[in-house]
Amino acid sequence: MDSTYFFQQLWQNYTVKTPSAKKVKALFETKGEIVFNDHIAIRTFNDPRVTIDVLSKPFIAMGYEPKGEYHFKSKKLFAKHFEHANDPNAPKIFISELLLEKVSIELHSSIQKILDQVDPEVFNEEDLILQGRVWEKPSYKVYEKFLKESEYAAWMYVNGFCSNHFTVDVNKLRSFDGLLEVNEFLKVHGFKMNTSGGEIKGTPAQFLEQSSILADIIEVEFEENVKEITSCYYEFAYRYNKEDGDIFRGFVADSADKIFESTDMQLQVN
């Protein structure tokens, strides 16, 4: 698949669910900025049909290579990030998966049944990440049940395969001196920040600072009726040089753990 088309479609699908991302990007552009993407995040389950290794196939075909691995014990997640072998300006890819052996038997079984609804050939298609929810229309009762145990599972059940967030490369913004100024700019324009773990997650000592606006709330058609729930969000990353002088290209698990919560409905009401 043509990589330019693939990333354009990924962005288009993402902004349909996340109109705030388009608004933020436009705000930066009115200041004369060209917005570069630091990384794209994708969610999945570790069911053999849709693991990280399955979802990473199109990126591997484009020249990406696996790099860091990350563990999130409290959320029962595992993640890998990928970087392009020859293009340092290509966005990094961060794919996480819910560890089904770590969740309740009931949740594990429910997720397997949802995946069983899908023609197995769908999971082999190279554009799977562009297809969104490939199973039947969700039930709000099931969504609520998932939500009680795993916000991540509930989000996946409704949204399926897509980009969970894109990330502005703050290092390449010329009008802002770091992440604090970016956050203030966003708040002035009415965007609500994810404050879980502080507005800025990470420190210069960890070589990475991250922040994000809260996920958009959109209408979703469930079996029972239409409900408003969270979709996706826009993130912002500022990277520092390591001791060897090279810029840090990985991720900090503790910070990513809090960034995940940008889709949490509870943060929307706090």
Side-chain angles (χ1 to χ4, degrees), residues 7-52:
F7 282 108
Q8 285 176 343
Q9 285 299 117
L10 204 56
W11 170 258
Q12 182 175 323
N13 294 351
Y14 161 74
T15 53
V16 167
K17 292 174 175 286
T18 325
S20 289
K22 275 184 139 179
K23 294 175 184 176
V24 169
K25 187 171 181 285
L27 281 172
F28 284 134
E29 289 171 344
T30 60
K31 293 180 71 65
E33 297 285 2
I34 298 174
V35 178
F36 292 89
N37 188 26
D38 179 85
H39 68 272
I40 299 168
I42 297 157
R43 295 180 175 184
T44 190
F45 305 116
N46 75 335
D47 181 284
R49 293 166 284 189
V50 294
T51 61
I52 290 172

Side-chain angles (χ1 to χ4, degrees), residues 44-155:
T44 190
F45 305 116
N46 75 335
D47 181 284
R49 293 166 284 189
V50 294
T51 61
I52 290 172
D53 290 341
V54 172
L55 264 62
S56 64
K57 284 180 180 178
F59 300 107
I60 299 295
M62 293 176 201
Y64 277 81
E65 298 176 336
K67 295 293 182 178
E69 297 186 353
Y70 312 90
H71 299 268
F72 306 90
K73 290 185 178 180
S74 65
K75 289 184 173 59
K76 302 178 176 63
L77 306 175
F78 171 68
K80 291 183 182 179
H81 97 266
F82 301 78
E83 297 177 23
H84 198 280
N86 303 312
D87 183 2
N89 292 316
K92 290 168 281 296
I93 306 299
F94 186 95
I95 308 178
S96 58
E97 61 187 15
L98 181 66
L99 302 174
L100 299 181
E101 68 276 13
K102 302 287 188 182
V103 302
S104 68
I105 293 174
E106 184 180 11
L107 179 57
H108 188 167
S109 176
S110 295
I111 290 170
Q112 285 187 315
K113 288 177 181 176
I114 289 163
L115 295 174
D116 288 344
Q117 299 172 7
V118 184
D119 181 344
E121 288 303 311
V122 170
F123 299 128
N124 296 323
E125 295 175 3
E126 63 177 357
D127 66 345
L128 175 61
I129 299 174
L130 303 178
Q131 295 190 40
R133 187 180 64 244
V134 294
W135 43 84
E136 296 173 1
K137 183 186 295 184
S139 157
Y140 191 70
K141 288 182 180 178
V142 173
Y143 169 77
E144 286 190 306
K145 187 181 296 183
F146 282 15
L147 202 58
K148 289 177 182 177
E149 181 173 347
S150 169
E151 191 275 335
Y152 186 105
W155 188 95

